[in-house]
Amino acid sequence: MSDLPAEGNLSDEEVDDLDLSTLTDDELVAQMHDDLYDGMKNEIAEGTQILLNRGWTAETTLNKALVEGMRVVGDDFRDGILFVPEVLLAANAMKAGMEILRPLLAETGVEAIGKVVIGTVKGDIHDIGKNLVAMMLEGAGFEVVDLGINTDVDNFIEALTESDADILGMSALLTTTMPYMKVVIDTLVELGRRDDYIVLVGGAPLNQEFSDAVGADAYCSDAAVAAEVAKELVTARRSSLAGG
Ligand code: B1M
C-alpha cells in the first residue's frame, strides 16, 4: 500500500507521534486507508480535515480516502481476513470522516449513487448486522435511510414513499420474523409498486431459496455482498431505464 514504514514496524509511541499534516497527499491517503483498516476514528477525522484544508473536494476525499479504504475492509471481511469487531471499528472510523463530509456533500449537491431504505423487520430487535450493512452501503456511496429495528410494513412503505428510494433492504435474524419480509413485498405488489424498488434481503437464517420464495431481487449473505449487489443492481437498472 503506502511507501511509509508499516505501522507494525513502528512503536506505539511512533504511531501516536505520526504527524499526519507532514505527509504528502498520496502518503496521507495511504495512511488513511491503513487507519481505516485499523479502526482509528480520530486519525480518520483528522486526515479528512487535512485533505479538505488542502483544497480537496468533499467528493474526492470521500472516494479516494474513505470509500477506497472501506473497499479494502469489505474485501477482507468477505474473504474471512477481518471479522465483525474489526469491521465495526472500521465502519465507525469511516463514520467520523463521513460526519465531516456529509454537510459539504449536501451543499455541493454531489449525488449519492442511490438511496436505500433499510430496517430490521417487525418483531426482531437484532441490529448489529443491519447496521453493518447500512454503513457499508454508505461507504459504497449510497444515501441510507435506516429505520432501525422492529419495522412494520407501514413504516417501510412510508419511508420508501418519502425518500424516493431505489432500494429496500430488510434484515431478519429470527426464523419467526423472516416471513414478515413477504408481508412487506406482497404489500408492495398489492400497491402496484413492487417494480419501483430493488428489494434486497439478508440475515443469518436466510438463504437464496428463501429470497426467491418471498420475491426479493437478491439475497445478500453479508454486508460486503450487500454493497456490491446494491451497486450492480442500481447500475443495471439505471442503464435499462436509460435504454428505454
Ligand atoms: Co439473538 N438470536 N435473540 N440476540 N442473537 C440469534 C439470532 C440466535 C440464532 C441465537 C441462537 O439461538 N443460536 C437465535 C435465533 C434462533 C432462530 O430464530 N432460529 C436468537 C434468539 C432466539 C433470540 C431471542 C429470541 C432470545 C430470547 O429472548 N429468548 C431474542 C429475540 C429478541 C427479538 O428480536 N425479538 C434475542 C435477542 C438478542 C440480543 C438482544 C441479546 C442480541 C441482539 C443485539 C443487537 O442486535 N443489538 C442477540 C444476538 C447478538 C444474537 C446473536 C448471538 C448474534 C447476532 C449478530 O449480531 N451477529 C445470534 C446468533 C448468531 O447469529 N450466531 C442470535 C453478527 C452480525 C454481524 O451478523 O446479523 O447475521 P448478522 O448480519 C450479517 C448477515 O446476516 C448480513 O450481513 C450482516 C453483516 O455481514 N445481513 C444482511 C444481515 N442483515 C442484512 C440485511 C441486508 C443484507 C445483508 O439487507 C440488504
Side-chain angles (χ1 to χ4, degrees):
M1 284 221 245
S2 100
D3 295 332
L4 293 169
E7 281 184 8
N9 298 332
L10 299 174
S11 68
D12 286 352
E13 268 175 23
E14 283 170 317
V15 171
D16 284 346
D17 286 349
L18 185 60
D19 182 354
L20 296 180
S21 66
T22 62
L23 303 180
T24 66
D25 286 6
D26 285 349
E27 286 171 343
L28 177 56
V29 167
Q31 183 61 41
M32 285 174 74
H33 292 171
D34 289 349
D35 287 344
L36 202 57
Y37 198 92
D38 294 335
M40 297 169 79
K41 189 176 164 187
N42 294 340
E43 285 73 6
I44 290 299
E46 189 186 342
T48 302
Q49 197 55 63
I50 291 171
L51 288 174
L52 292 174
N53 293 346
R54 288 182 187 175
W56 281 46
T57 63
E59 189 184 12
T60 309
T61 308
L62 174 70
N63 290 332
K64 291 201 173 165
L66 301 184
V67 173
E68 176 55 22
M70 207 59 192
R71 187 190 60 74
V72 179
V73 172
D75 286 353
D76 281 3
F77 181 47
R78 181 196 57 211
D79 297 342
I81 296 164
L82 286 181
F83 296 95
V84 170
E86 289 106 324
V87 178
L88 283 175
L89 282 175
N92 208 26
M94 165 132 185
K95 276 204 150 181
M98 290 287 295
E99 271 159 31
I100 295 170
L101 296 178
R102 195 171 281 133
L104 300 171
L105 290 169
E107 249 173 43
T108 52
V110 170
E111 291 238 347
I113 65 170
K115 234 182 235 183
V116 184
V117 163
I118 192 166
T120 302
V121 298
K122 187 178 170 186
D124 201 319
I125 64 167
H126 295 86
D127 68 355
I128 297 172
K130 183 266 299 165
N131 291 346
L132 209 52
V133 172
M135 288 178 193
M136 294 293 280
L137 286 168
E138 279 199 354
F142 284 92
E143 184 181 333
V144 176
V145 178
D146 186 346
L147 302 179
I149 55 172
N150 196 22
T151 311
D152 70 17
V153 60
D154 293 341
N155 292 137
F156 277 120
I157 302 288
E158 195 183 325
L160 287 169
T161 309
E162 276 177 10
S163 65
D164 192 24
D166 306 281
I167 298 178
L168 165 63
M170 290 187 281
S171 178
L173 263 286
L174 300 172
T175 46
T176 49
T177 57
M178 56 193 233
Y180 196 77
M181 291 177 170
K182 184 159 164 43
V183 173
V184 179
I185 294 173
D186 285 352
T187 305
L188 284 174
V189 173
E190 279 162 28
L191 294 171
R193 289 172 55 187
R194 172 63 187 87
D195 293 341
D196 295 348
Y197 310 104
I198 295 161
V199 180
L200 306 181
V201 294
L206 276 65
N207 55 30
Q208 187 59 51
E209 202 183 350
F210 173 82
S211 167
D212 293 342
V214 296
D217 291 300
Y219 158 67
C220 307
S221 55
D222 63 40
V225 169
E228 272 170 31
V229 169
K231 273 197 280 188
E232 266 168 34
L233 294 187
V234 159
T235 309
R237 193 163 185 252
R238 295 257 158 86
S239 48
S240 86
L241 288 176

